[in-house]
C-alpha cells in the first residue's frame, strides 16, 4: 500500500487502489506538461539524491542512482528495504570482500536509521519480482553506503503507529508523521489548497491578503484568547475569524479577497475542536448569495481530488425550516432518506393516550421516521436502544434528527449500507432566521450567526416590527451531515448596521465604531463565506478526527503533548506584561478538576 | 497613472510606465493561456457587473455593460469618472428629460459614493480622446443608474492620502487602501507569493504545512508574546518562527516543507518592525548550503516581477569577515563601491600623532574610504558633517560601515547617483561565526543565530577546544544592504546538539528535550531558510516602510490605530485565564512614559 499510493500521489498515475490512489497531482502535472513541458514536480532537485526511492521502475535499469532514506526492513543481511516519502525500494547488500565496509554499514545500522546509498538499478532475478510493489521489478546493486544518522530503539514500530493510543502518537508526532496515512493526509491537504489558490487567484482574480491576528476583543467575544501587551491593562485578542478585516478590505476597494486564515477559538475541551484552526476565507464586492454559492461550487469542483470526484454542481439548496422539519437538524446528511414525517393529522382523533396528550399541547406534534426493512434488520435490542435513546433526549428539539442518525448507525451495524463513505453529498442550507431568542432570556434577541449578516430582502420591513420573523441572507454549506462552511451577504448600510447593533441586539456600538464609520464612507455591497479547511480535509481523506489532517494538533484539552505546551512561566517574565497569576484556592481547584472527568490524557 | 498600471496589473501588458507597469501577471496569464485557453483572470465572474471600469477599450464599442464603482470626479453635471480597483472610466450623464431620475442620482451622489450604471460603450467625440488614460478612447452612455451606497464627507480626498500623516492613514486604513499605491502593493504581494507557491509546490514538490502558533516558550524567548490558558499559571506563547516545527517535520519524513508563516516578536517600539510579520519558511532534507541557495535563487528568479527583472543567478557570495572588513557591516549594499581599505601599513612610521596613537593600540588600525570625485561634489559643510558623524559614532565597531552609507547619502544629496533604485543587488553572506561572546559577559558564548545551526565541517574539531573560532553553516541573503533572509544547515546529531546546548551555551536542555529526542530517532540531515516577506515586498515595490506592504499594520508602538487595539478588558473576562493586571505605581508609570519620548502617535 505505502509505496503504491505515494507513487501515485507524486506521479499522477491512474490505477486506483483501495482508498487513496490517483490524486489531484494528476491534474496538477497535466497543466505542468502544458506550461513547462515538465511532467511531474522535480522531487530530487537541489539535494544529495539523484532519485526518490519510490520512483524507480524498469525504465531506470542500468542507471547509477544515489538514494537517501530510512531503513524500513532488513532480511538475512542480504536485502534491505529503503523508504522515503515517495515509496519503498529493495537494496541488495553486497556480500563480496572488497565491499565489506558497505556491508557492515548496512547490516549494523538499526531500523529507521537514515542512510545514503549509491549503486545501479538492476532487474530482479526471475521469480523474485513483486507485482504488488510499484518498484517491485527492480532492485539496487549498492556500491557505496553512508550512515547519515543512526536511530535509537523506537518506542514502537512506525507501521504500528495507527494502532497506538492517540496520546502516544501525539507525543511522538515526528514518528507518527512518517506513517502512510499522515503523509497522505498532509500532502493531499497541501495540493488541494494549492488548487484552491489557483482557482481563486489565477482564474478569478482574487487577492490573497494577510490580516492581523493581534486584534482587539469583539463584543461578546468570550471565546477569544487574550494577549497582554506591554501597556498596563491593555490586551490584544486572537480573532475567531478575519470577519471585520475582510469587510474593511471591501470598503477599501480590494474587490475580491481570500486568505487561508488562521483562526482562534478558546472553547476549553470540546472534542474534535482545535484552539487554532484554518479557514478558507473569502469576501467579494457587488455579489449576491447566488454569486458566492456559484464561486464555491466552482472552487470545490476545481480543487476536488479526481479520484474522489466528480463534484456535481450546482449543489442542491434547502431552506432552514425544511431542514429542521425533514431532518431534525440544520446540517442534514442527505446521503440517505429516512426523513422525518409529521403524522399528527393521522392521530387527531386517536384514543391512544400519550398521543392525545402530545397533540393537546401547544405546537404538539406526532412525528415518525420510516425505516425501510427495519423489521428485517433491526433486532429487539435495537428497538429497545432506540426507545431508550428517545427517552434520554426527549426534551431536546433536535431529538428527531439525532434519532434518525442513531437508527442509521444501528442499521449499518447490521450490514445495511446507508451512508456510502465514497459519496460526497453537498447541500446549501439557506433562509436562516436573522435573530434567535437568547437562551438565558428569551425576551431578548441575539444574532443567529453574527451581527453583520444582512436581512433577507423580502423580510426587511419586519426588522422594525417583528425582528424575530426576519430571515437572513446567511447560507451554510453542508457535506454529509457536517457544516463545512458558512457565509452571508453583509449589511453595507451604516444606519441599518447601527439599528441592528444598538436597537435589536443592544450591543455597545462604541466597540465597533470603526466599522460603522467605514460603512459611511462608500462601502460597496458585499458578501462572503468561510470554509473550515480542517473539517473539509477530514471528510475528503476519511480521517477519523481533524487531528489526523493537522501536522501538530493539540489534544482535546488543548495540550501539545510533544512539547508540553502550555507551560509555566517564571513570574519575572510576566512582569513586562503587567500581569500576575491568580492562583485558585484549593476549593476552586477541586471544583475545576471535577469539571474535567478525564484529568490525564495519556 | 492610476488606471494605467492597474490595467497592466490585470492584463499583463508590456508597455512600461514610470515605476510600476507590466507585472508578474503577464507570466501568470501566459501559463493560463497554455493550460486553459484563458488569457486573463475573470475579474467579473459571479458579480453584478459585466466588466470592470478599467478594462474597457475601443474593442468594446457598442457593448452593453454594467459597471460598479466609486464616483471619483464629476464635471459640470455632464461627465463623471467612475473608479474600481482596475481603473477609471468616463461616464456621460444623460441630459434628456426621460432620464431625469438617472441624472438626479448621478449628479446628487457625493464623491466616493458607490454606484452601479448600465449603458453602452461609445466612442468619445473627435478631439476628446485622452491618450494618457487607458480607457481614454471610450465613454459610457448611461441608461440606468443605481446608488448602492452614499458616502459621507471624507476626512480628506483619496488622492491626497499619501500626503497625510501616517497616523491619519492608519486610522482610516480602509480609505487609504483605495489609493493607487496600496492597491498596487497588496496585489503585487499576492501575485508574487502565488508565483513562489507555484515554484515550490508545483515545480519542486514542496509540501505546504501549517504549524501551530500556540506553542510553548523557547529558552531565552524573551521576545515572545504570552497567552494565558485556562489552566492556572500555564501559558502558550506565540513563536518567533516555526523553527522547531520545521525541523520536526524533517524528522517526520516530510522531505520538503514550506509555509507562508505568520511569526510574532514583541520588541516594544522599534521603528519599521511589526509585532506580527510573515516569512517564507522553507526546510529540506538531504540538502547542503549550495542546495538551499540554488533553490532560493530559482525561487526569486521565478517569482520576480518581470518589469523589475531579470534576476541574474547565481548570486555572489561573500564571507562574513570580508563583509565586515570591506563594508563595515554584515549586510553590505553592493550596488556601489567605496569599500573600506585598511591603510595601516602606509602609516606604520608616521609622525602624525593621532595615527601613531591609534596604531600603537592592540588591533589598532587606520582605515579609509575613497570617495571618487568627493572633492568635486562634497562641500565644506559635508566634510564637517562627516567629521561630526565619525566623532559621534567613534566607539561603535560598525562606524566605518555607517560612515560609508553616510557619505553615500551626502553624495546623492549633491546629485551623484550611487544607489540605483531600479537595481537589485543580491548577495549571500556566509561563514558567520557560530558563537559570539555575550554582550553582558564576554567570557560566555551565545549563538550568533540560533542553537540549531550546524558548525562548518572544516571547523568541527575546534568546537571542543576553541568554540569561539568555529564558523557556522549559516547564510544570510542580502538585497541592497538589507537582510531579506537567513538560514542554515541544522545540527541533526543528537549528541552534538546536546553538547552545544548544555556545554557551550549552558542552556537548560529540558526545555528542548522533545527536539533532542527527535534527533535520536532517525533525523535526516536537513537545512533551510526563511525570507522576510514584508521587507522583501518593501524593497520590490520601493515602498518607504513595511507598513505600506501590509493591509492592516500596527503603528510603531504596536497599536492598531483604526480599531484601537490593544484595548482594556473587564477583570471578569480575565478570570477564566487566572490572571490579573498588576497596575504600576505612579512612579513606575512616569518612568515608563519617559522612555517613550513620543507618547502620542497622532
Amino acid at each position: 500500500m505505502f509505496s503504491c499510493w505515494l507513487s501515485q500521489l507524486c506521479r499522477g498515475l491512474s490505477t486506483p487502489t483501495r482508498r487513496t490512489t490517483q490524486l489531484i497531482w494528476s491534474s496538477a502535472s497535466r497543466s505542468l506538461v502544458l506550461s513547462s513541458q515538465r511532467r511531474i514536480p522535480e522531487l530530487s532537485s537541489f539535494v544529495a539524491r539523484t532519485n526518490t526511492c519510490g520512483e524507480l521502475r524498469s525504465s531506470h535499469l542500468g542507471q547509477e542512482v544515489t538514494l537517501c532514506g530510512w531503513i524500513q526492513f532488513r532480511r538475512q543481511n542480504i536485502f534491505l528495504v529503503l523508504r522515503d516519502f515517495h515509496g519503498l525500494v529493495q537494496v541488495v547488500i553486497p556480500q563480496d570482500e572488497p565491499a565489506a565496509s558497505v556491508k557492515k554499514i548496512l547490516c549494523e545500522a538499526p531500523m529507521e536509521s537514515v542512510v545514503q546509498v549509491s549503486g545501479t538499478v538492476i532487474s530482479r532475478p526471475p521469480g523474485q519480482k513483486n507485482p504488488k510493489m510499484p518498484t517491485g521489478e527492480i532492485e539496487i546493486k549498492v556500491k557505496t553506503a553512508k550512515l547519515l544518522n543512526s536511530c535509537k530503539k523506537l518506542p514502537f514500530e512506525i507501521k504500528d503507529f495507527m494502532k497506538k493510543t492517540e496520546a502516544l502518537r501525539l507525543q511522538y508526532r515526528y514518528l507518527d508523521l512518517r506513517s502512510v496515512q499522515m503523509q497522505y493526509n498532509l500532502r493531499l491537504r497541501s495540493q488541494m489548497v494549492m488548487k484552491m489558490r489557483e482557482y481563486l487567484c489565477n482564474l478569478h482574480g482574487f487577492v490573497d491578503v494577510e490580516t492581523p491576528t493581534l486584534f482587539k476583543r469583539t463584543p461578546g467575544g468570550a471565546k477569544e484568547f487574550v494577549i497582554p501587551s506591554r501597556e498596563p491593562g491593555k490586551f490584544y485578542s486572537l480573532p475567531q475569524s478575519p470577519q471585520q478585516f475582510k469587510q474593511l478590505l471591501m470598503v477599501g476597494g480590494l474587490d475580491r479577497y481570500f486568505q487561508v486564515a488562521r483562526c482562534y477559538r478558546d472553547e476549553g475541551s470540546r472534542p474534535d475542536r482545535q484552539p487554532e484552526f484554518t479557514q478558507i476565507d473569502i469576501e467579494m464586492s457587488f455579489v449576491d448569495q447566488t454569486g458566492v454559492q456559484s464561486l464555491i461550487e466552482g472552487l470545490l469542483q476545481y480543487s476536488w481530488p479526481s479520484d474522489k470526484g466528480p463534484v456535481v454542481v450546482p449543489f442542491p439548496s434547502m431552506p432552514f425550516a425544511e431542514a429542521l422539519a425533514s431532518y431534525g437538524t440544520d446540517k442534514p446528511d442527505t446521503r440517505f432518506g429516512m426523513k422525518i414525517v409529521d403524522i399528527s393529522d393521522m392521530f387527531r382523533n386517536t384514543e391512544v393516550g400519550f398521543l392525545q396528550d402530545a397533540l393537546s399541547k401547544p405546537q404538539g406534534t406526532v412525528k415518525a421516521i420510516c425505516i425501510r426493512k427495519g423489521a428485517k434488520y433491526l433486532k429487539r435490542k435495537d428497538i429497545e436502544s432506540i426507545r431508550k435513546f428517545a427517552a434520554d433526549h426527549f426534551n431536546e428539539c433536535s431529538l428527531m434528527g439525532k434519532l434518525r442518525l442513531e437508527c442509521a448507525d444501528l442499521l449499518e451495524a447490521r450490514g445495511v449500507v446507508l451512508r456510502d463513505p465514497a459519496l460526497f453529498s453537498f447541500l446549501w442550507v439557506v433562509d436562516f432566521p436573522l435573530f434567535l431568542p437568547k437562551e438565558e432570556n428569551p425576551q431578548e434577541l441575539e444574532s443567529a450567526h453574527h451581527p453583520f449578516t444582512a436581512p433577507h430582502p423580502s423580510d426587511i420591513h419586519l426588522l422594525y416590527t417583528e425582528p424575530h420573523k426576519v430571515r437572513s441572507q446567511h447560507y451554510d454549506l453542508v457535506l454529509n451531515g457536517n457544516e463545512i462552511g458558512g457565509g452571508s451577504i453583509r449589511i453595507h448600510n451604516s444606519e441599518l448596521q447601527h439599528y441592528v447593533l444598538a436597537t435589536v441586539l443592544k450591543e455597545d456600538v462604541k466597540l465597533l465604531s470603526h466599522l460603522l464609520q467605514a460603512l459611511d464612507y462608500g462601502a460597496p455591497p458585499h458578501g462572503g463565506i468561510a470554509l473550515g479547511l480542517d473539517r473539509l480535509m477530514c471528510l475528503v481523506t476519511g480521517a477519523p478526527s481533524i487531528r489526523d489532517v493537522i501536522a501538530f494538533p493539540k489534544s482535546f484539552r488543548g495540550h501539545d503533548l510533544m512539547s508540553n505546551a502550555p507551560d509555566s512561566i517564571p513570574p519575572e517574565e510576566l512582569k513586562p506584561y503587567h500581569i500576575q497569576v491568580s492562583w485558585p484556592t484549593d476549593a476552586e481547584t477541586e471544583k475545576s478538576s471535577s469539571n474535567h472527568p478525564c484529568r490525564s490524557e495519556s
Side-chain angles (χ1 to χ4, degrees), chain A:
Chain A
M1 265 307 282
F2 179 87
S3 54
C4 188
W5 72 255
L6 273 175
S7 298
Q8 283 158 7
L9 189 74
C10 298
R11 305 193 127 247
L13 300 182
S14 57
T15 328
T17 63
R18 194 165 60 87
R19 65 168 297 166
T20 54
T21 71
Q22 185 209 9
L23 269 200
I24 48 169
W25 276 22
S26 64
S27 47
S29 59
R30 266 201 302 281
S31 62
L32 282 176
V33 174
L34 288 166
S35 62
S36 65
Q37 302 303 320
R38 192 183 288 129
R39 211 188 136 60
I40 48 166
E42 284 187 33
L43 299 170
S44 299
S45 45
F46 311 115
V47 291
R49 62 175 175 251
T50 59
N51 296 77
T52 63
C53 297
E55 74 176 303
L56 297 174
R57 297 289 183 279
S58 290
S59 58
H60 296 87
L61 283 178
Q63 287 189 18
E64 300 292 313
V65 297
T66 298
L67 307 175
C68 297
W70 284 260
I71 300 178
Q72 166 103 348
F73 181 71
R74 186 163 42 218
R75 186 149 35 103
Q76 297 161 335
N77 288 352
I78 294 175
F79 297 110
L80 64 78
V81 173
L82 198 64
R83 186 195 73 232
D84 65 14
F85 71 97
H86 200 173
L88 305 168
V89 72
Q90 180 163 292
V91 169
V92 188
I93 303 174
Q95 305 293 327
D96 53 324
E97 190 47 44
S101 67
V102 173
K103 181 176 181 181
K104 189 174 152 68
I105 288 170
L106 295 182
C107 291
E108 290 183 359
M111 290 300 102
E112 290 299 315
S113 292
V114 188
V115 294
Q116 184 183 51
V117 297
S118 293
T120 316
V121 182
I122 58 172
S123 190
R124 293 203 193 180
Q128 290 188 26
K129 299 194 174 177
N130 181 352
K132 289 188 190 155
M133 195 175 172
T135 64
E137 299 208 328
I138 60 99
E139 57 192 12
I140 310 298
K141 190 181 170 191
V142 171
K143 295 201 181 92
T144 62
K146 204 153 96 184
L147 178 66
L148 296 176
N149 210 353
S150 185
C151 181
K152 284 206 177 157
K153 185 159 169 38
L154 292 181
F156 31 76
E157 281 192 58
I158 303 294
K159 66 182 167 61
D160 290 338
F161 246 89
M162 280 292 171
K163 301 180 205 153
K164 299 289 167 184
T165 67
E166 197 181 30
L168 204 65
R169 287 178 54 204
L170 290 178
Q171 187 187 342
Y172 296 99
R173 188 58 160 184
Y174 44 89
L175 297 180
D176 191 28
L177 290 177
R178 291 183 198 163
S179 69
V180 177
Q181 199 56 55
M182 283 307 302
Q183 289 275 331
Y184 172 76
N185 292 354
L186 294 183
R187 283 166 196 277
L188 182 62
R189 180 178 175 131
S190 167
Q191 285 303 320
M192 206 165 150
V193 171
M194 187 64 195
K195 294 286 285 181
M196 290 186 184
R197 293 178 178 281
E198 286 170 15
Y199 176 85
L200 291 168
C201 201
N202 294 348
L203 300 190
H204 292 288
F206 279 73
V207 188
D208 180 3
V209 182
E210 301 171 61
T211 58
T213 56
L214 297 177
F215 192 42
K216 87 170 196 177
R217 212 154 168 83
T218 45
K223 289 172 178 173
E224 288 171 3
F225 289 101
V226 296
I227 304 168
S229 76
R230 285 172 190 256
E231 285 175 70
K234 296 286 178 85
F235 293 80
Y236 298 106
S237 84
L238 294 172
Q240 294 184 51
S241 88
Q243 183 62 37
Q244 289 188 48
F245 290 112
K246 66 181 183 172
Q247 293 194 237
L248 290 164
L249 285 172
M250 294 304 104
V251 182
L254 260 287
D255 197 65
R256 301 176 162 222
Y257 144 91
F258 86 102
Q259 182 181 196
V260 181
R262 191 69 59 89
C263 304
Y264 301 85
R265 197 179 295 153
D266 179 17
E267 297 193 290
S269 48
R270 281 185 58 181
D272 222 26
R273 292 278 184 134
Q274 287 286 309
E276 50 186 319
F277 56 97
T278 304
Q279 66 189 33
I280 310 290
D281 199 47
I282 290 172
E283 196 80 5
M284 302 168 80
S285 294
F286 311 112
V287 77
D288 61 11
Q289 184 162 328
T290 316
V292 177
Q293 290 177 348
S294 303
L295 173 86
I296 294 302
E297 288 161 357
L299 174 76
L300 287 166
Q301 198 173 44
Y302 184 87
S303 62
W304 205 249
S306 54
D307 67 313
K308 311 275 186 190
V311 170
V312 181
V313 301
F315 302 154
S317 198
M318 187 185 293
F320 168 76
E322 183 188 336
L324 272 203
S326 299
Y327 296 91
T329 174
D330 60 357
K331 35 180 193 281
D333 189 339
T334 46
R335 283 177 298 176
F336 69 108
M338 286 172 46
K339 291 189 196 176
I340 301 161
V341 190
D342 191 322
I343 51 171
S344 307
D345 284 348
M346 291 171 60
F347 293 96
R348 288 275 168 233
N349 304 315
T350 186
E351 287 174 13
V352 182
F354 76 97
L355 295 178
Q356 259 186 343
D357 206 40
L359 287 171
S360 66
K361 287 183 180 151
Q363 296 176 321
T365 53
V366 180
K367 292 184 177 182
I369 297 173
C370 172
I371 305 177
R372 275 184 192 272
K373 301 197 182 163
K376 177 176 167 196
Y377 290 106
L378 295 185
K379 310 226 159 121
R380 170 175 286 272
K381 67 171 181 183
D382 295 333
I383 310 290
E384 258 324 298
S385 100
I386 292 172
R387 200 191 306 270
K388 184 170 183 316
F389 187 93
D392 290 351
H393 295 79
F394 194 71
N395 279 320
E396 300 170 20
C397 58
S398 56
L399 164 66
M400 291 302 282
K402 285 179 178 162
L403 208 52
R404 175 175 172 267
L405 295 178
E406 178 73 11
C407 294
D409 286 347
L410 287 169
L411 280 173
E412 289 185 342
R414 302 283 170 225
V416 185
V417 178
L418 274 182
R419 293 167 292 194
D420 181 354
L423 198 71
F424 293 96
S425 184
F426 290 97
L427 175 75
W428 291 110
V429 179
V430 299
D431 292 348
F432 283 84
L434 185 55
F435 307 109
L436 291 173
K438 278 188 185 169
E439 228 169 272
E440 66 279 14
N441 179 6
Q443 297 306 310
E444 291 182 9
L445 294 176
E446 63 185 4
S447 296
H449 294 94
H450 60 58
F452 314 117
T453 311
H456 197 291
S458 334
D459 296 354
I460 214 157
H461 60 286
L462 296 170
L463 199 57
Y464 305 92
T465 52
E466 297 171 291
H468 60 282
K469 288 193 180 167
V470 176
R471 288 167 304 160
S472 73
Q473 293 192 62
H474 179 94
Y475 29 87
D476 266 356
L477 182 58
V478 173
L479 172 57
N480 295 354
N482 298 275
E483 184 199 320
I484 58 162
S488 59
I489 302 304
R490 329 295 184 185
I491 297 172
H492 65 273
N493 180 291
S494 183
E495 278 165 48
L496 179 60
Q497 183 68 75
H498 192 278
Y499 179 81
V500 166
L501 285 169
T503 309
V504 183
L505 299 173
K506 301 183 180 14
E507 294 275 7
D508 179 1
V509 292
K510 255 182 269 150
L511 284 165
L512 288 168
S513 58
H514 54 285
L515 190 76
L516 287 165
Q517 194 171 34
L519 296 184
D520 257 339
Y521 286 145
H526 60 287
I529 194 168
L531 301 181
L533 183 62
D534 306 299
R535 173 71 49 212
L536 177 64
M537 289 313 304
C538 191
L539 293 169
V540 173
T541 60
S545 152
I546 58 167
R547 289 183 293 278
D548 292 312
V549 296
I550 296 172
F552 299 100
K554 301 283 190 296
S555 74
F556 81 98
R557 293 204 43 230
H559 288 187
D560 179 335
L561 299 181
M562 181 182 65
S563 73
N564 190 34
D567 206 356
S568 309
I569 287 189
E572 66 269 20
E573 295 195 14
L574 297 178
K575 261 195 187 158
Y577 299 108
H578 310 282
I579 56 166
Q580 52 182 301
V581 177
S582 322
W583 293 101
T585 61
D586 286 355
E588 282 170 342
T589 310
E590 205 161 301
K591 188 180 153 221
S592 114
S593 117
S594 69
N595 288 340
H596 290 297
C598 181
R599 194 68 187 170
S600 152
E601 288 178 298
S602 37

